Amino acid sequence: MRASPSPLFFGRQDESADLDALLADLKDGRSAVKVLRGPAGVGKTALLEYATSVAAGMTLVRASGVQADMELAYAGVHQLCASFLSDVDEIPAPQRDALRVAFGIAAGEPPDRFLVGLAVLSLLTRASESGPVLAIIDDAQWLDQVSKQTLEFVARRLLAESVGMVFAVRDPDGGAAFSALPALRIDGLDPGAAGALVEASVGGRLDPQVRDRLVAEASGNPLALLEFTRGRNAAELAYGLDPSSRGQAQGSVSARVERDFVRRMEALPSETRTLLLIAAAEPVGDPRLLVRAAEAMKVPLDAAPARAAGLIELGDFVRFRHPLARSAVYHQASPAERRAAHRALAQATDPVLDPDRRAWHAAQAADGWDEEAAAGLEHAAERARQRGGMAAEAALLERAAELTPEPWARGRRALAAAEAHFSAAAPQSATDLAALADMCPLSPLDSARLARLRARVLFTRSRSDEAAPLLLEAASQFAAVSSHSARETYLEAISATVFAGRVHGPSGARAAAVAARDSGAPSSGSKPADLLLDGISSLLSDGPRVGVPVLQRSREPFLSESLTTREETLRWLLLVPVALESFIHYGWDLPTWDALASRAVRLARDAGALGVLPPALIYAGGVQIHRGDFAAAARMIDEADTLALATGNAPHIYAALVLTAWKGDEDAAARIVREAQTNAAQRGEVSLLGVTGYVQGVLYNGLAQYKLALQSARIGIEHDGFNFTGLSLVEHVEAAVRCGEMEQARASLARLAELTDAANSGWARGIGARSRALVEELRADELYEIAIDELTRDQVMVEVARTHLLFGEHLRRSRRRARAREQLRIAYEMFDRMGARAFAERAKRELEATGEHVQVRDMSPISFLTPQELRIASLAGSGMTNPQIGAELFISTHTVEWHLRKVYTKLGIGSRRELPSMLGAGLSSLSAGGVTGQAPQSPDDGSGTRRASSRRGRLDPGPADVAAAVGSHG
């Protein structure tokens, strides 16, 4: 008989061509990623072998998922990186340390999985410096969860490296794994290719009807065809399959293939079957471990019959011929036989070198409740947690709970497993384990933890106001047992009400604040966090006039809090959003907004905490919007969205909404607003309704569509939300005045004054003065002057520009054209530089109405840089090295170099030494003939009044100037 040929060469020309193109990209210095998806036996592994065989001159690294290894954190990543670990000292220290802890090489705090991902990216990139690297990952659906997340993160960050990653994922087992990566669907062979494969396998021509029947029964699956015809010649198949296989055509192809492996196994001696079962239960493929376990079970080490049956291969590693063969062996055994195999493997596994697998095997060997095995799993779970393997920790604790005989301990372990599942982003598993914990006796403290967990799960699934009362109840339970978690949970409850969009009512932010203040809960252990809760509670309980000063007392302690551990850093980062919402919307405090957001971004980057970096970037982008640096804001929003996609989180649309409104892009704003409103309806995130009211108020005021602005802003001010009410009042006052609705304008001005008077910041005083100027015509000149000074003091430049516009419009309507031109010119040039197109056009129309001709400025070369290119160019121009830039932006050094080459081409320069002058020249060219914030002194405009102070409207030079120069191209 002829050997069975590889199915690759039958009907796989298109797939092999696709892989050839991928390898060509690598040879040309480009990265490439592909996920081969298809059912079991369809030929994915054969295609991986093809890619390996034609990858001449490339560095090959491999990993393979093993079903029994799915609970061991970073096992898959460790496989892939094993050959590179000698280079680990050459990557940045935070990445190196994270990788060592993840692999159990060193002790330390649990690493962020995305920092581990960046370390893997750095290792692969470093290896590619000497030639292309091809990473082959087979059976990726069976990788441990954190390895899946890490490798998907790495694949998404590849760009300009000669690194290729090819995954094979079995469907439907793979589910959503790697679904965001480029996929190549591998289906069964077409009838012609499948028939050729059958005839080649049996070494002769078959009767066409027999051949076609085989092809139909196998659905073109190559492995099924090969296994069905294995050991049979054309004559033996003349009447189709042997009688023993009749009736097996039902069900999936993989099930039929697995049954064929079972048939072969049943013909083997019992000792050989036992040896196969030990090998199937042992995921590492270590022949020495197999020998020791076989000796423990007194089984002869004779694998020859299994090799002859085509089930297993023995060499440096123990490998089954196909994963379905392993599955068939394991599942065909009785539960008692499987427990015996695991018991032998536990005895054979070194308790020092591999304690986690020893504990796992011991647990699988348990028959019923077993406290010793459960305790071993609990210790293994702790080690997994220290390595950052949250999914592994959850699975180990779940099994520990199942084995625990004593109800109190079972409830404690089930609760810990539920919390670990929640941390591992598995809310349904968390809910199931919470139900188990609820059936057991719990201590009052654990009952509070359970209540908080259920509220967190609900809040994650739907940010409705249903979570807030549950968090309040959990906080009160913590307070009742004097737990340090009480105050932190009260802050969580308040934060939940921020997203739920309710201040009043039994489940609103005010109710949470009153409960927190009256709880008598002990300190959380962090004085700054306690001060923050005191400030927010007073703000909501007593109103802004009393609460804002209390809130402001927490500013410096919270901003400068010493954070010595990763746990403290993450706790601080999780509190930043509610702190920022308070300081922004009640403190009107742009400098604090800037300081808190900047620190949050820096801490998240340093810690590699990519889960919390996107919202920190969004808040930092909001600062840049108000500074008038739309390009910098766009870069931050773009980076946040990229990271959110890489980490599997939903993009944050708040800042994108605000930026689009200020840019005046009506179509884009309408699209994002519709998305926000849909999210509000589906997730219960009612605060999105409040922000859309403010956003559309800005947009339509900029477009001079004042009736629409009035309607939109009213939504924002009537919404019972924690945030955006004050900003919506600003828009409502302007729109109401322009629509002649003076009663509405005065009512909104009175509400706004309550907020701004309490804050007493430059932003608050400026916005209050400007809004009064719109209503109080007799004092308008004085109030606009005050507003420009105060807003400039806090560098709220979009509002400075807008105040110049309103002042100019007021002067023109008062027939003081010369002075109006000065104000409108400043407004137009500021808005034009920022890229606020609608407001710029509004200022332009007003300016032309005074008789002035407006020239449109030429585009600078830097305006053609993308946000990412401009960010990299700015960092390179500031003196940062390529590795430093890569670490800052979570990209590889090669990607930095690739972007810089594009920057040099667009700017027409040859090196990074020219960047500072080029960027500065770009700013100057954009500013030539434009606003500096200082109009020429005019002695008199006929009204007897000199113009405003020369410093008003000045754009102070600084890092933001480069980005501001590109205007709308950010």
Side-chain angles (χ1 to χ4, degrees):
M1 285 184 53
R2 293 168 52 185
S4 298
S6 167
L8 176 66
F9 301 103
F10 292 88
R12 292 300 187 206
Q13 291 80 7
D14 291 344
E15 291 85 349
S16 58
D18 200 304
L19 292 174
D20 288 339
L22 181 147
L23 296 175
D25 283 342
L26 297 187
K27 292 175 182 177
D28 290 341
R30 296 186 294 273
S31 65
V33 176
K34 192 70 69 176
V35 179
L36 311 183
R37 306 191 74 97
V42 80
K44 302 183 296 298
T45 299
L47 285 167
L48 293 182
E49 293 304 324
Y50 170 77
T52 300
S53 68
V54 297
M58 296 186 182
T59 299
L60 287 170
V61 291
R62 306 187 72 133
S64 182
V66 178
Q67 203 167 9
D69 221 12
M70 292 178 69
E71 314 307 340
L72 299 175
Y74 293 111
V77 173
H78 201 169
Q79 280 188 64
L80 195 70
C81 295
S83 59
F84 299 142
L85 290 182
S86 58
D87 296 330
V88 73
D89 288 334
E90 305 302 321
I91 65 177
Q95 300 174 27
R96 176 197 65 212
D97 296 341
L99 201 65
R100 284 176 168 168
V101 173
F103 291 169
I105 300 171
E109 294 188 32
D112 187 282
R113 70 174 186 266
F114 300 111
L115 189 58
V116 175
L118 192 59
V120 175
L121 178 62
S122 295
L123 284 176
L124 292 173
T125 300
R126 181 175 176 78
S128 72
E129 292 173 358
S130 58
V133 175
L134 179 62
I136 299 291
I137 303 97
D138 202 359
D139 281 321
Q141 75 280 353
W142 285 339
L143 292 171
D144 58 282
Q145 185 65 24
V146 72
S147 287
K148 288 179 187 175
Q149 295 167 335
T150 301
L151 294 180
E152 186 166 5
F153 172 81
V154 171
R156 284 173 169 168
R157 304 304 282 177
L158 291 172
L159 181 60
E161 304 79 10
S162 296
V163 176
M165 300 183 76
V166 184
F167 301 83
V169 176
R170 179 195 294 185
D171 287 336
D173 303 32
F178 307 101
S179 59
L181 301 180
L184 176 61
R185 180 72 196 176
I186 311 299
D187 294 313
L189 298 174
D190 64 66
L197 174 60
V198 169
E199 292 186 339
S201 300
V202 300
R205 292 190 61 81
L206 282 172
D207 179 278
Q209 289 182 322
V210 173
R211 181 196 61 209
D212 293 346
R213 179 188 174 193
L214 286 171
V215 168
E217 287 182 333
S219 301
N221 185 289
L223 179 64
L225 290 168
L226 290 172
E227 296 304 332
F228 286 163
T229 58
R230 180 182 175 83
R232 304 180 179 101
N233 58 34
E236 291 170 330
L237 290 170
Y239 296 100
L241 297 179
D242 59 81
S244 65
S245 68
R246 288 174 185 169
Q248 293 182 1
Q250 301 300 318
S252 68
V253 170
S254 61
R256 281 176 273 158
V257 173
E258 189 169 320
R259 282 196 293 270
D260 189 72
F261 283 127
V262 169
R263 179 184 58 78
R264 284 188 235 167
M265 185 187 65
E266 288 173 341
L268 298 175
S270 62
E271 294 87 352
T272 305
R273 293 200 303 270
T274 302
L275 188 65
L276 284 172
L277 176 58
I278 298 171
E282 192 281 298
V284 180
D286 184 348
R288 294 166 298 182
L289 190 57
L290 177 63
V291 169
R292 293 197 297 270
E295 290 175 349
M297 294 189 71
K298 297 181 171 38
V299 175
L301 196 68
D302 181 11
R307 280 200 299 263
L311 293 172
I312 200 168
E313 299 171 2
L314 291 179
D316 293 337
F317 293 94
V318 180
R319 288 193 177 93
F320 280 85
R321 188 167 180 271
H322 191 276
L324 288 176
R326 177 193 292 272
S327 176
V329 169
Y330 190 80
H331 292 109
Q332 182 66 13
S334 69
E337 290 170 333
R338 289 196 292 265
R339 287 195 298 270
H342 281 293
R343 188 177 301 111
L345 284 166
Q347 295 171 7
T349 302
D350 192 304
V352 175
L353 298 179
D354 204 350
D356 294 349
R357 279 198 180 90
R358 182 184 176 93
W360 179 256
H361 284 307
Q364 297 302 99
D367 184 12
W369 288 336
D370 188 324
E371 175 57 31
E372 183 179 355
L377 286 176
E378 191 170 27
H379 292 312
E382 173 61 21
R383 289 188 291 269
R385 188 192 67 78
Q386 292 172 355
R387 293 194 301 270
M390 291 176 293
E393 178 192 6
L396 292 166
L397 285 170
E398 181 174 353
R399 179 61 176 152
E402 293 171 356
L403 295 176
T404 303
E406 202 277 318
W408 286 91
R410 190 185 315 129
R412 175 178 59 79
R413 286 168 177 160
L415 176 58
E419 290 175 329
H421 274 301
F422 178 74
S423 297
Q428 184 56 53
S429 295
T431 300
D432 295 341
L433 268 296
L436 174 60
D438 200 21
M439 295 169 62
C440 301
L442 296 173
S443 69
L445 179 60
D446 285 347
S447 294
R449 287 170 56 197
L450 179 60
R452 181 178 62 182
L453 174 65
R454 283 177 160 162
R456 285 173 169 176
V457 170
L458 180 61
F459 186 65
T460 299
R461 287 176 164 171
S462 174
R463 290 179 173 175
S464 68
D465 53 8
E466 296 178 23
L470 296 180
L471 283 166
L472 276 176
E473 175 59 28
S476 67
Q477 291 181 39
F478 281 125
V481 294
S482 300
S483 169
H484 297 301
S485 299
R487 293 176 68 82
E488 177 187 337
T489 308
Y490 278 119
L491 272 173
E492 282 191 62
I494 293 172
S495 182
T497 62
V498 169
F499 285 100
R502 295 286 181 263
V503 171
H504 299 92
S507 302
R510 188 177 185 279
V514 171
R517 192 169 65 174
D518 296 343
S519 67
S523 169
S524 66
S526 166
K527 184 177 179 181
D530 290 340
L531 288 172
L532 178 63
L533 177 59
D534 290 341
I536 296 174
S537 297
S538 179
L539 176 70
L540 289 163
S541 302
D542 306 320
R545 192 174 300 277
V546 175
V548 169
V550 181
L551 175 70
Q552 289 170 338
R553 287 199 288 272
S554 72
R555 177 191 183 279
E556 286 304 322
F558 186 72
L559 182 58
S560 59
E561 182 178 6
S562 176
L563 306 169
T564 58
T565 67
R566 178 180 174 81
E567 184 177 1
E568 290 176 347
T569 299
L570 292 177
R571 188 266 311 156
W572 189 90
L573 287 168
L574 290 173
L575 292 181
V576 162
V578 70
L580 278 165
E581 294 294 335
S582 303
F583 282 107
I584 293 168
H585 296 287
Y586 292 90
W588 298 81
D589 192 341
L590 191 61
T592 296
W593 182 358
D594 190 9
L596 281 173
S598 297
R599 190 186 191 202
V601 169
R602 174 53 50 204
L603 287 174
R605 288 195 194 280
D606 290 347
L610 300 199
V612 293
L613 179 54
L617 284 166
I618 290 298
Y619 280 112
V623 173
Q624 299 308 320
I625 293 172
H626 285 78
R627 294 273 193 248
D629 193 344
F630 291 0
R635 289 198 306 274
M636 292 174 180
I637 294 168
D638 180 70
E639 183 182 357
D641 288 346
T642 300
L643 289 172
L645 178 64
T647 55
N649 295 318
H652 298 74
I653 63 175
Y654 288 83
L657 275 167
V658 175
L659 178 60
T660 304
W662 278 101
K663 282 186 171 183
D665 189 335
E666 187 172 8
D667 292 338
R671 174 179 53 80
I672 300 176
V673 165
R674 283 195 302 271
E675 178 185 343
Q677 291 170 338
T678 299
N679 288 340
Q682 291 178 346
R683 297 204 310 256
E685 195 170 341
V686 185
S687 62
L688 283 170
L689 299 177
V691 71
T692 55
Y694 160 67
V695 160
Q696 291 180 301
V698 171
L699 174 68
Y700 291 123
N701 273 329
L703 294 168
Q705 297 179 29
Y706 298 115
K707 288 185 178 179
L708 289 175
L710 184 66
Q711 295 169 8
S712 300
R714 187 179 292 118
I715 294 173
I717 66 173
E718 291 177 352
H719 171 68
D720 182 24
F722 182 85
N723 48 14
F724 289 102
T725 301
L727 293 174
S728 297
L729 286 166
V730 174
E731 302 305 320
H732 193 255
V733 169
E734 179 175 337
V737 169
R738 291 291 183 251
C739 292
E741 300 287 347
M742 296 309 297
E743 287 303 315
Q744 288 192 48
R746 292 187 185 95
S748 290
L749 178 62
R751 287 183 61 187
L752 179 62
E754 292 178 4
L755 294 173
T756 56
D757 290 352
N760 196 32
S761 65
W763 184 6
R765 289 190 296 270
I767 213 73
R770 191 185 79 197
S771 298
R772 288 198 303 276
L774 284 163
V775 175
E776 302 174 17
E777 284 284 329
L778 295 179
R779 296 184 57 211
D781 286 24
E782 173 194 356
L783 290 169
Y784 280 126
E785 298 267 4
I786 291 171
I788 291 171
D789 278 340
E790 294 290 356
L791 292 168
T792 302
R793 187 190 316 280
D794 278 2
Q795 291 289 286
V796 194
M797 302 315 296
V798 290
E799 300 294 2
V800 171
R802 195 162 167 186
T803 307
H804 282 296
L805 171 60
L806 289 168
F807 194 8
E809 289 174 339
H810 163 73
L811 291 168
R812 189 182 73 80
R813 286 169 175 75
S814 302
R815 302 182 182 277
R816 290 175 283 174
R817 292 193 172 188
R819 284 200 64 198
R821 276 195 294 271
E822 293 176 3
Q823 297 295 327
L824 293 170
R825 190 183 302 120
I826 294 172
Y828 170 71
E829 292 175 350
M830 288 181 72
F831 281 134
D832 189 43
R833 179 188 297 181
M834 294 173 190
R837 293 186 291 272
F839 280 107
E841 182 61 27
R842 178 175 151 186
K844 180 173 175 286
R845 289 194 303 269
E846 290 285 335
L847 195 54
E848 289 174 339
T850 68
E852 179 160 320
H853 177 67
V854 180
Q855 292 185 338
V856 179
R857 57 184 170 84
D858 294 330
M859 303 299 295
S860 164
I862 65 173
S863 65
F864 296 102
L865 300 182
T866 67
Q868 181 81 320
E869 289 166 355
L870 185 56
R871 175 68 170 158
I872 290 172
S874 300
L875 294 175
S878 71
M880 291 180 69
T881 65
N882 288 357
Q884 288 171 332
I885 296 171
E888 176 82 5
L889 300 181
F890 292 98
I891 56 179
S892 73
T893 302
H894 282 295
T895 297
V896 174
E897 294 168 351
W898 182 73
H899 278 299
L900 282 175
R901 287 195 295 270
K902 293 175 68 179
V903 168
Y904 298 157
T905 299
K906 289 181 179 181
L907 299 185
I909 59 178
S911 73
R912 68 199 307 131
R913 290 192 299 272
E914 301 175 70
L915 282 171
S917 59
M918 186 66 194
L919 293 174
L923 175 62
S924 299
S925 67
L926 286 177
S927 300
V931 66
T932 63
Q934 180 173 350
Q937 287 288 338
S938 173
D940 200 296
D941 66 1
S943 66
T945 305
R946 293 186 179 273
R947 70 167 307 280
S949 169
S950 63
R951 71 178 177 84
R952 291 170 188 146
R954 179 182 302 277
L955 287 172
D956 292 348
D961 288 338
V962 171
V966 305
S968 62
H969 295 268

